[in-house]
Amino acid sequence: EGRLYMEGANKKHISESFRLAAVLALVGGFLDAYTYICRGEVFANAQTGNIVLVGLALSKYNFKGIIYHFVPVIAFMLGVILTEIIKRRIKPRRTYIHWRQIVIGAEIIVLTIMAFIPMGKYDVIVNISISFICAMQVEAFRKVNGTALATTMCTGNLRTATEQIFKLVVEKDKSKIRVSAQAYGVVIFFIIGASMGGILTNIYWEKAVLVASAILFVVFIFMFRNIEKYILKELEQEDEVEEEEIDTEIEELKHMKN
């Protein structure tokens, strides 16, 4: 049992695999194209874009525009908070479903509902909802094979990829090739997703988001592979944190006695 625990703990989370990151980036690009084309030219993922639009609205004293573009930003912030709550509440000892699967499940449900909301009058509701779940995704899936990468935006990934190329040239460290390739790869899949989103949204309009929902459903099922091993890894990480806290308390008691 102990050997199984350690073997399981040494497995990387499936959430850190490049394949999963590529698929999620595909969805991220798709949703940005979808909301921009048929939901009022709002970016679902790139909150920098929405903040710029807030600034432009402010420069024109367009207070309705300020609210319209700032609400998705607030929704994004709330999505991050909810994800952290889920992460802390869903403990591996209590369930055999990973907390990240709950995030993916929430995305599937929200996107499916959004597909049946007509364009126009209720676009703001759709944009708020999609910004919310995109925040959950970016908060839940933050690394690819140990490297911090995002699946719903590109700026940070471009920085990481280019930085690694520079280090490869200057430091002659061939290990940087893999990191750079992964970062550029995620960006490429994001572009492919945006292209898919553009094509399908112009054909199916609000119903096009069902494609993203279907892709995420495949991800949800895929994450059940070796789920017990990934939960064992979570348990080991929890134990390490508990050991560190105990060591800290012991050190504090020693200092108090002295």
Side-chain angles (χ1 to χ4, degrees):
E1 183 180 352
R3 187 167 63 87
L4 176 63
Y5 179 90
M6 290 306 296
E7 286 176 357
N10 290 329
K11 290 279 186 180
K12 286 196 297 288
H13 275 274
I14 198 168
S15 62
E16 291 192 18
S17 72
F18 175 76
R19 285 181 297 174
L20 187 58
V23 175
L24 291 176
L26 199 74
V27 172
F30 190 107
L31 292 177
D32 253 350
Y34 172 80
T35 55
Y36 190 83
I37 291 171
C38 77
R39 296 299 187 178
E41 297 186 344
V42 170
F43 295 105
N45 303 331
Q47 298 310 312
T48 301
N50 287 329
I51 291 170
V52 169
L53 292 172
V54 169
L56 290 174
L58 183 62
S59 70
K60 298 175 182 178
Y61 303 102
N62 180 3
F63 296 107
K64 183 179 178 181
I66 292 170
I67 295 171
Y68 183 78
H69 291 293
F70 194 66
V71 167
V73 177
I74 298 297
F76 191 93
M77 294 165 65
L78 293 174
V80 171
I81 292 170
L82 178 61
T83 304
E84 284 299 312
I85 292 172
I86 292 172
K87 180 180 177 180
R88 284 166 170 72
R89 293 287 179 89
I90 305 300
K91 297 296 183 182
R93 290 185 174 91
R94 299 174 189 167
T95 178
Y96 269 80
I97 185 171
H98 200 279
W99 66 269
R100 289 184 177 92
Q101 285 177 285
I102 295 175
V103 170
I104 295 294
E107 285 191 74
I108 294 168
I109 292 169
V110 170
L111 292 178
T112 301
I113 294 171
M114 296 305 105
F116 297 96
I117 296 179
M119 292 186 299
K121 186 178 179 180
Y122 301 105
D123 283 350
V124 65
I125 296 174
V126 175
N127 292 329
I128 290 170
S129 301
I130 293 180
S131 290
F132 185 81
I133 61 169
C134 284
M136 295 180 72
Q137 178 176 309
V138 76
E139 183 67 11
F141 300 90
R142 302 170 64 171
K143 291 184 178 180
V144 178
N145 293 321
T147 302
L149 295 174
T151 58
T152 61
M153 57 196 76
C154 294
T155 305
N157 298 341
L158 284 171
R159 182 203 63 78
T160 298
T162 307
E163 177 189 52
Q164 297 304 311
I165 287 291
F166 177 80
K167 289 182 177 179
L168 168 66
V169 174
V170 174
E171 301 173 6
K172 311 298 181 184
D173 185 353
K174 292 184 178 180
S175 67
K176 306 300 182 184
I177 296 175
R178 185 186 183 197
V179 177
S180 182
Q182 287 179 161
Y184 279 131
V186 170
V187 172
I188 290 169
F189 274 96
F190 189 93
I191 293 170
I192 294 171
S195 180
M196 283 176 54
I199 293 168
L200 294 173
T201 301
N202 280 309
I203 297 172
Y204 300 108
W205 297 106
E206 69 268 24
K207 298 294 191 299
V209 78
L210 289 172
V211 174
S213 184
I215 294 171
L216 288 172
F217 182 75
V218 173
V219 170
F220 182 82
I221 299 300
F222 181 71
M223 288 184 71
F224 276 109
R225 292 179 60 187
N226 299 323
I227 189 65
E228 293 88 354
K229 292 180 179 180
Y230 302 125
I231 289 175
L232 285 172
K233 185 178 177 72
E234 291 276 337
L235 290 172
E236 186 196 46
Q237 290 172 344
E238 279 193 359
D239 290 342
E240 287 176 354
V241 171
E242 289 175 2
E243 287 176 7
E244 288 177 3
E245 290 176 350
I246 291 170
D247 289 341
T248 301
E249 289 178 3
I250 291 172
E251 289 297 322
E252 288 177 353
L253 288 171
K254 286 179 178 179
H255 286 302
M256 289 174 65
K257 288 181 178 179
N258 293 334

